[in-house]
Amino acid sequence: MIPSTGISYWDAFLPSIVLLLLAYAVLPWLNRDSTFARTGVIAVCIFLAWRYMLWRIFYTLPPAGLTLDFALGVIFTSVEFLSMVGVTLSLFFLTRTRNRTAEADRNIAWLKSLPEPPLVDVLICTYNEEELILERTIIGALGIDYPNYRLWVCDDGRRQWLKDLCERQGCGYLTRGDNKNAKAGNINNALRHISTLPQRPDFVAILDADFVPKRQWLTRALALMREPDVGVVQTPQHFFNADPIQKNLSLSRVWPDEQRYFFDVVMASKDAWGGAICCGTSAVLRFAPLMQIKKFPTDSVTEDYLITLRLNEIGYRTIYLNEPLSLGLAPEGLREYISQRSRWALGFMQICRGPNGPFSLTSHAPLSTRVMLIETFLYWSATHAFRILAILVPAAYLWFNIQAVYAYVPDAISYLLPVLVAGTYVMSWLTHRRVLPILADLSQLLIATDIAKSVLVGLFRPQGHKFEVTAKGGDRTKRFLQWPMLRIFLFCLVMTVGGVIWAFVLDDSRPVADATGIALFWSWFNIILLVLACFVCIEAPEIRGGVASAAKARPRSPLAAIRSATRWRTSPWGACA
Amino acid sequence: MGGMRLMGDLPPKTHEALVHVEFDGLEIDARLVRAYKGGFAVQFIQSENARERLIRLVYGGKHGNKSVEIKPAEVMGAMINRVFR
């Protein structure tokens, strides 16, 4: 065992107390949009994080040898190190942020001054969504306030009722004989069709089947196409329903959907570094370069991310307009939520293995793009692997005395606690509290095992996978359990609680050491996470399609926002209010 | 989109009464179906035309899902409440 630095508990807590006071005193006065302020607070975070990481590497590894302690210690520290590299890169990119609203405002005049508004083909991609969802999207898209666009529903489900609906509504309907290459193939089929029309579009706009555009969507996005090297304008995805974490933990009123961190914070920062990405739906793309790269790429199930990289190679940028210009459905169930994220992880790994990967010699991507790819790779791989190990390592110690971390409690407090304090406050400040401890860990834990599978599959067998559509709609009026997932979390919970009972109550042979205290701390943290994860696996019913839902449910519909603007009066036999 | 929840006091004995709702220039017939503390709910009387106008107004218009102001204590409270409920 490496000797302790011998500091007292007071000395161990002191840095964290100072940081806490500083955070309270300084952060509220700093301008969140200032690169200087962001860089300053992030530099403190990165310094503390690496102070901790170096302590972990040089002072807490088990003695070298053919022992389980050493093997697990090396694996755990290596994964934590890679995760820390990823976090550091993420923090580095968060030092900048960009808001293009003013630019879009300015460019509206340019757009309106054009002799003829550019022609846009709006493509609604659908596979198996139900009529209520599609009808809403089609009606919304037909109401876009832009003078020169055509609307096409691209149906990979070959449904007659949808064809009839399109005819009734007066929009185009396209289908094909097979579903080759899933969504990318569906869009490419539409691109093939519109490229043969007498009037080819200047731009194409993509909507998923459940995303209803706002009236001003096209005008706002096209305003940012003024620079000829802009290939894609991505707008954020907002949702009118609660995601499974919000819904199953009854958090809709106090906590936003999980995607808000990505679309409100991360994308704005990526954009500031020139690294915004196309996210599929609610994006507008320039038609000519799209045809130049032979339409949407099909070598990844995340064709949206890949198209940004392919367009980059021929000199076109993706930029981001952070305005709520469309509303869609978040995955309504936990299984769908996880399957969507697993698809993103798999697709990203396919990209990493392909010619646009971060270490590809044939890629012409600039350094910043490559570094962003590495950061995303580490997020999917190391961060989620670390989350799994963080559950297993304390339990392994408590049950089997396998000690992966050799540390004294005062040292651990001295090195780790400042990272937790600074990380919590700085991330909360940078993200308008969209990242909070426990919830951030919970959202990683929920998907960790599936993501680990997708990462391994994507890295070692990148091709030949089906595109799994995120199911939307369906009957969700009953409470039910996601047993396959609940089993895993219950097992981990029993293992952790059992480990604590075994080590502290039943096993008299083991003296209470510093490592036991550290394991106990993390076990309690894990117990909280696992209990919450179990509750997320209990799918709450979602009552739809009637006033019962409006009266009972949380304000998850846009209707909730218009209450104050409403006047009502009863029919002649009722009183007026 | 079947109806909406409105805030305010409901006159007595108006359950199932037909009402006329106006908001943002849209007028639609509805039926009062539920009253609760501080508000009440109406069910829209469905017609294809009304439905289209509602979709355009609500989903395609200026309204959005109100962004939540996050208060960590409330978030923790809600989670604890859920676990012990």
Side-chain angles (χ1 to χ4, degrees):
Chain A
M1 175 92 183
I2 284 122
S4 162
T5 50
I7 58 171
S8 67
Y9 275 93
W10 168 249
D11 288 340
F13 275 109
L14 193 61
S16 304
I17 295 169
V18 171
L19 270 172
L20 197 66
L21 294 174
L22 270 175
Y24 264 112
V26 176
L27 284 181
W29 301 99
L30 296 180
N31 176 7
R32 207 181 268 112
D33 296 330
S34 152
T35 301
F36 182 73
R38 294 169 77 95
T39 306
V41 293
I42 285 171
V44 172
C45 266
I46 291 176
F47 168 76
L48 292 169
W50 282 96
R51 174 180 172 265
Y52 160 78
M53 198 62 238
L54 292 176
W55 169 74
R56 281 278 289 112
I57 293 168
F58 291 112
Y59 294 99
T60 69
L61 272 178
L66 285 173
T67 61
L68 284 173
D69 283 11
F70 185 67
L72 187 61
V74 168
I75 292 170
F76 188 44
T77 309
S78 306
V79 172
E80 190 173 6
F81 171 79
L82 290 172
S83 176
M84 191 64 86
V85 173
V87 168
T88 304
L89 293 175
S90 303
L91 284 169
F92 174 75
F93 289 122
L94 288 177
T95 53
R96 289 186 190 171
T97 186
R98 182 158 193 173
N99 182 350
R100 292 187 186 266
T101 291
E103 189 182 340
D105 289 342
R106 280 197 305 274
N107 288 358
I108 293 283
W110 159 80
L111 185 66
K112 290 189 173 167
S113 71
L114 294 174
E116 194 182 335
L119 176 63
V120 184
D121 274 318
V122 179
L123 310 179
I124 297 174
C125 309
T126 172
Y127 171 59
N128 59 2
E129 293 77 12
E130 59 196 48
E131 186 172 355
L132 276 175
I133 291 175
L134 275 160
E135 186 198 23
R136 186 170 58 204
T137 307
I138 292 168
I139 290 170
L142 285 169
I144 293 174
D145 187 12
Y146 183 75
N148 195 15
Y149 77 101
R150 299 179 292 210
L151 179 64
W152 304 93
V153 174
C154 311
D155 178 23
D156 249 5
R158 296 172 282 281
R159 290 161 290 181
Q160 185 60 42
W161 64 259
L162 183 52
K163 192 177 179 188
D164 297 340
L165 176 67
C166 291
E167 271 172 24
R168 278 202 310 277
Q169 292 291 345
C171 64
Y173 173 86
L174 299 170
T175 190
R176 56 184 178 147
D178 58 23
N179 300 116
K180 199 176 170 199
N181 298 320
K183 183 179 169 186
N186 192 8
I187 296 173
N188 287 345
N189 179 56
L191 292 176
R192 253 190 304 277
H193 174 79
I194 58 180
S195 63
T196 59
L197 295 175
Q199 200 184 0
R200 297 173 83 182
D202 300 293
F203 300 96
V204 290
I206 310 289
L207 285 173
D208 277 356
D210 54 309
F211 268 82
V212 189
K214 298 277 171 196
R215 278 197 287 267
Q216 67 276 28
W217 173 50
L218 285 182
T219 311
R220 299 293 295 169
L222 288 172
L224 290 180
M225 288 287 189
R226 183 172 187 175
E227 303 293 331
D229 66 337
V230 175
V232 182
V233 176
Q234 179 65 52
T235 62
Q237 297 172 12
H238 284 261
F239 306 106
F240 45 80
N241 63 321
D243 71 21
I245 297 177
Q246 289 178 292
K247 187 180 66 171
N248 299 342
L249 290 180
S250 306
L251 291 178
S252 313
R253 278 187 174 166
V254 293
W255 182 248
D257 63 272
E258 189 246 0
Q259 286 291 290
R260 294 279 52 80
Y261 170 58
F262 180 75
F263 281 107
D264 294 352
V265 180
V266 175
M267 275 289 273
S269 288
K270 280 180 181 283
D271 189 30
W273 286 95
I277 54 168
C278 178
C279 302
T281 185
S282 314
V284 178
L285 298 94
R286 204 178 284 274
F287 184 71
L290 193 54
M291 300 309 279
Q292 197 182 328
I293 59 165
K294 299 185 171 59
K295 310 183 201 74
F296 266 68
T298 54
D299 38 341
S300 163
V301 291
T302 48
E303 72 294 329
D304 38 16
Y305 199 134
L306 195 48
I307 200 146
T308 286
L309 300 174
R310 294 277 159 85
L311 286 173
N312 265 345
E313 297 215 312
I314 59 166
Y316 288 90
R317 309 181 272 141
T318 296
I319 62 172
Y320 179 62
L321 178 61
N322 190 11
E323 294 178 7
L325 294 169
S326 60
L327 273 176
L329 278 170
E332 292 165 286
L334 187 59
R335 198 58 256 168
E336 292 80 8
Y337 173 89
I338 289 168
S339 120
Q340 186 185 56
R341 275 139 186 86
S342 300
R343 190 182 72 230
W344 294 344
L346 173 66
F348 188 79
M349 294 304 140
Q350 290 173 323
I351 291 173
C352 287
R353 286 290 310 271
N356 294 94
F359 300 110
S360 166
L361 297 174
T362 54
S363 166
H364 300 110
L367 181 65
S368 61
T369 304
R370 289 175 189 263
V371 176
M372 278 187 194
L373 287 168
I374 292 169
E375 181 248 328
T376 310
F377 173 79
L378 291 173
Y379 168 73
W380 287 121
S381 55
T383 305
H384 290 91
F386 177 71
R387 177 52 49 213
I388 296 171
L389 286 175
I391 296 284
L392 299 179
V393 165
Y397 174 71
L398 295 174
W399 277 107
F400 308 112
N401 216 12
I402 302 170
Q403 192 175 343
V405 180
Y406 277 54
Y408 290 98
V409 172
D411 293 350
I413 293 169
S414 165
Y415 285 96
L416 176 61
L417 197 57
V419 184
L420 298 179
V421 169
T424 300
Y425 277 87
V426 168
M427 285 309 286
S428 170
W429 176 77
L430 278 172
T431 65
H432 294 263
R433 296 176 178 159
R434 282 172 178 80
V435 175
L436 290 181
I438 296 184
L439 275 166
D441 298 295
L442 176 66
S443 61
Q444 283 173 8
L445 176 64
L446 286 168
I447 57 175
T449 50
D450 288 79
I451 295 298
K453 273 185 237 162
S454 294
V455 167
L456 290 174
V457 167
L459 282 179
F460 295 108
R461 196 169 61 84
Q463 295 309 321
H465 300 285
K466 265 184 73 180
F467 182 102
E468 279 192 43
V469 177
T470 310
K472 302 277 171 74
D475 182 14
R476 295 179 192 276
T477 54
K478 292 191 182 78
R479 186 181 300 274
F480 67 98
L481 300 179
Q482 291 283 4
W483 263 116
M485 300 190 58
L486 185 57
R487 270 203 303 263
I488 296 172
F489 295 129
L490 274 178
F491 172 75
C492 293
L493 183 61
V494 169
M495 193 177 66
T496 306
V497 174
V500 172
I501 294 170
W502 169 251
F504 286 89
V505 181
L506 302 176
D507 185 12
D508 294 332
S509 63
R510 182 165 35 180
V512 176
D514 278 43
T516 327
I518 294 170
L520 181 67
F521 170 79
W522 284 116
S523 294
W524 277 114
F525 183 78
N526 288 342
I527 287 168
I528 294 170
L529 278 189
L530 289 164
V531 166
L532 291 172
C534 289
F535 273 90
V536 178
C537 293
I538 304 169
E539 296 273 19
E542 189 170 325
I543 304 161
R544 285 195 201 154
V547 175
S549 71
K552 279 183 183 171
R554 309 279 188 212
R556 57 195 161 71
S557 147
L559 281 171
I562 59 177
R563 284 182 299 219
S564 58
T566 306
R567 288 197 305 120
W568 69 280
R569 61 174 188 268
T570 57
S571 55
W573 57 90
C576 289
Chain B
M1 193 185 312
M4 67 194 299
R5 197 169 75 164
L6 299 165
M7 289 166 79
D9 294 329
L10 181 68
K13 294 181 184 174
T14 49
H15 186 67
E16 290 290 315
L18 290 176
V19 296
H20 190 74
V21 181
E22 294 177 20
F23 58 92
D24 279 7
L26 181 83
E27 300 188 12
I28 191 162
D29 292 325
R31 178 177 286 111
L32 282 167
V33 288
R34 188 186 294 273
Y36 54 92
K37 195 179 171 188
F40 53 94
V42 296
Q43 183 174 37
F44 297 137
I45 294 169
Q46 292 285 349
S47 74
E48 200 162 307
N49 188 260
R51 180 174 158 72
E52 288 190 12
R53 284 183 297 145
L54 268 168
I55 288 172
R56 290 213 173 117
L57 180 80
V58 176
Y59 293 97
K62 65 183 179 187
H63 308 292
N65 216 344
K66 210 172 133 188
S67 61
V68 178
E69 195 200 335
I70 302 161
K71 295 176 182 162
E74 283 187 358
V75 178
M76 292 299 150
M79 282 195 291
I80 292 166
N81 189 32
R82 171 68 188 95
V83 171
F84 292 102
R85 191 168 65 205

